[in-house]
Amino acid sequence: MNFDLTLEQDQLRDAVRALGRKYGHGYFVAKAKAGEHTTELWHEAGRLGYLGVNIPTEYGGGGGGITELAIVCEELAAAGCPLLLLVVSPAIAATVINKHGTDEQRKRHLPGLADGSQKIVFAITEPEAGSNFHRLGTVARRDGDDWLLSGRKCYISGVDEAGHVLVVARTEDAATGKLKPALFIVPTDARGLERSKLDMEIVSPENQFLLYLDDVRVPADALVGESLDAGLPALFSGLNPERITVAAMGAGTGRYAIERASEYTATRKVWGGRSIGSHQGVAHPLAHAAVQVELARLMIHKAATLYDAGRDLEAGISGNMAKYAAGEAAALAVDTAVQALGGAGMTTEYGVATLLGAVRAGRIAPVSREMILNFVAQHVLGQDKSY
């Protein structure tokens, strides 16, 4: 086992950390509260090559893997800038298109994803389906050489920032009569595609939307891959990177919260000359949270390493465990930081309560902690499927 990063990965971590601190949590919160996006940070990260670290060099990327992208996600979050669209665009969309798209789709989309000039968001979740992928109701049907897409999607991140959305739909397999999934790259300004912003109790510059697809017409080359057979493999190829990078973002957020709280408790004095951090009632909860975050980071590193080695089954197990661990650790870290700061912890100025909504959501999305426990019980413990 080797727990050390390579020299290049260490340099990437240091560079991304410096970029994140250049902007900081104040910038992140100000953009969110103004209803604006972190455009400057995104474009600078793209110009410096951080958004495309997992994209092949032939398309302008860094030629690395999900390990490198997880570093980017974690370090920006550790600087107080947890960018959800890093998960959606480089991790999910770029991976799906690179692994399963046609040559033309790779040439058309990957360079822009690598330099940040293009964003592609991901639409799978539906109001009625919830966690049950098999109940997806969005349907794609042939109309001559084109496809017509109809259905509804919910909690779709960043549609207002993206030029395209990767839509998961169901198509009828003429040979068997069964419905099977397919992915389509759909322009966000396509006729028949409407969106409605969801009001969320989360401080974030990235918005959530309901999508309505009413016979949205797309050409044949909008279908990801050479045929419908690419649909299921393409869908699942994006799920492990999603879980790993979400986990990395959670771990980074936990690190940020603990760092802010530790700085405060080491200098705050209310009982004589001793800092409040010298009291075990304050220090031990922070130390416990730090342990949980570090454990999550170890599982993230394992999951990313397995994924980049092509060991997908093992990466799936580790990725789910990493997501679970990081979701719990981040929520614990932020809550503990707020408690350690007392009333100051609830202010915008100290920058920890602003993360409460996001870390709570991290225990729900993109897959709930309960579904991960179902997965582990079935695939690790050998229990019968419970649903």
Side-chain angles (χ1 to χ4, degrees):
M1 291 185 182
N2 184 1
F3 295 99
D4 293 327
L5 298 178
T6 65
L7 176 61
E8 291 78 11
Q9 290 168 343
D10 258 331
Q11 291 172 338
L12 174 65
R13 184 181 294 281
D14 291 342
V16 176
R17 181 186 298 121
L19 175 64
R21 290 180 175 176
K22 173 182 174 181
Y23 287 88
H25 191 59
Y27 164 85
F28 181 88
V29 172
K31 287 291 185 180
K33 293 194 172 184
E36 299 173 355
H37 303 305
T38 53
T39 305
E40 302 88 353
L41 172 56
W42 185 270
H43 285 320
E44 186 164 357
R47 179 176 60 80
L48 294 171
Y50 305 150
L51 302 181
V53 289
N54 62 312
I55 293 174
T57 55
E58 63 188 288
Y59 302 109
I66 293 303
T67 297
E68 285 74 19
L69 187 59
I71 289 171
V72 175
C73 291
E74 181 181 345
E75 290 306 320
L76 285 180
C81 299
L83 300 185
L84 179 58
L85 287 191
L86 279 171
V87 174
V88 177
S89 196
I92 300 176
T95 298
V96 168
I97 293 170
N98 181 48
K99 286 195 169 186
H100 299 281
T102 63
D103 287 340
E104 177 56 33
Q105 286 167 347
R106 286 191 285 269
K107 292 175 183 176
R108 186 187 314 162
H109 297 292
L110 291 182
L113 292 175
D115 66 18
S117 62
Q118 182 178 175
K119 296 175 185 174
I120 299 180
V121 295
F122 184 59
I124 181 172
T125 307
E126 295 184 1
E128 286 77 26
S131 297
N132 188 355
F133 162 75
H134 299 285
R135 290 189 60 189
L136 288 182
T138 300
V139 175
R141 68 180 190 276
R142 286 279 194 185
D143 185 53
D145 292 333
D146 297 337
W147 290 94
L148 293 177
L149 309 182
S150 294
R152 292 192 300 161
K153 300 290 184 179
C154 62
Y155 305 116
I156 309 307
S157 306
V159 181
D160 56 335
E161 299 182 61
H164 294 81
V165 54
L166 193 59
V167 176
V168 183
R170 293 164 67 92
T171 65
E172 186 174 19
D173 183 345
T176 65
K178 294 181 181 179
L179 291 172
K180 59 194 297 187
L183 279 70
F184 297 87
I185 305 172
V186 181
T188 52
D189 61 355
R191 185 175 181 179
L193 177 62
E194 302 291 336
R195 67 183 187 232
S196 175
K197 183 173 175 290
L198 286 164
D199 290 328
M200 307 291 290
E201 295 300 318
I202 298 174
V203 178
S204 173
E206 295 156 323
N207 298 314
Q208 301 292 313
F209 292 88
L210 288 167
L211 290 187
Y212 307 91
L213 298 98
D214 183 12
D215 280 348
V216 175
R217 182 178 296 274
V218 292
D221 62 4
L223 175 70
V224 173
E226 301 288 352
S227 71
L228 291 176
D229 292 334
L232 195 60
L235 174 61
F236 282 108
S237 72
L239 297 185
N240 283 341
E242 174 191 53
R243 281 149 175 70
I244 294 167
T245 50
V246 163
M249 188 168 66
T253 301
R255 285 173 50 203
Y256 166 83
I258 292 168
E259 180 179 346
R260 293 303 302 268
S262 298
E263 290 172 351
Y264 180 88
T265 56
T267 56
R268 172 75 166 163
K269 297 177 182 179
V270 294
W271 303 110
R274 299 176 64 187
S275 68
I276 61 173
S278 67
H279 300 284
Q280 292 176 351
V282 175
H284 280 189
L286 286 173
H288 173 65
V291 170
Q292 301 309 306
V293 169
E294 189 62 23
L295 290 173
R297 293 181 74 204
L298 288 172
M299 184 54 77
I300 293 163
H301 181 67
K302 177 180 180 181
T305 300
L306 289 169
Y307 181 84
D308 288 338
R311 295 161 64 177
D312 290 341
L313 182 60
E314 296 163 280
I317 292 171
S318 294
N320 274 294
M321 288 183 172
K323 193 273 170 187
Y324 181 96
E328 299 298 300
L332 174 66
V334 172
D335 185 68
T336 303
V338 170
Q339 190 69 23
L341 270 67
M346 294 304 298
T347 66
T348 302
E349 176 186 356
Y350 282 88
V352 285
T354 44
L355 294 165
L356 281 169
V359 295
R360 188 60 187 84
R363 301 174 74 203
I364 300 168
V367 56
S368 72
R369 61 195 299 272
E370 290 76 18
M371 289 306 295
I372 292 177
L373 292 175
N374 284 335
F375 178 90
V376 172
Q378 181 182 347
H379 294 281
V380 178
L381 305 181
Q383 304 302 304
D384 289 338
K385 191 173 183 179
S386 62
Y387 54 94

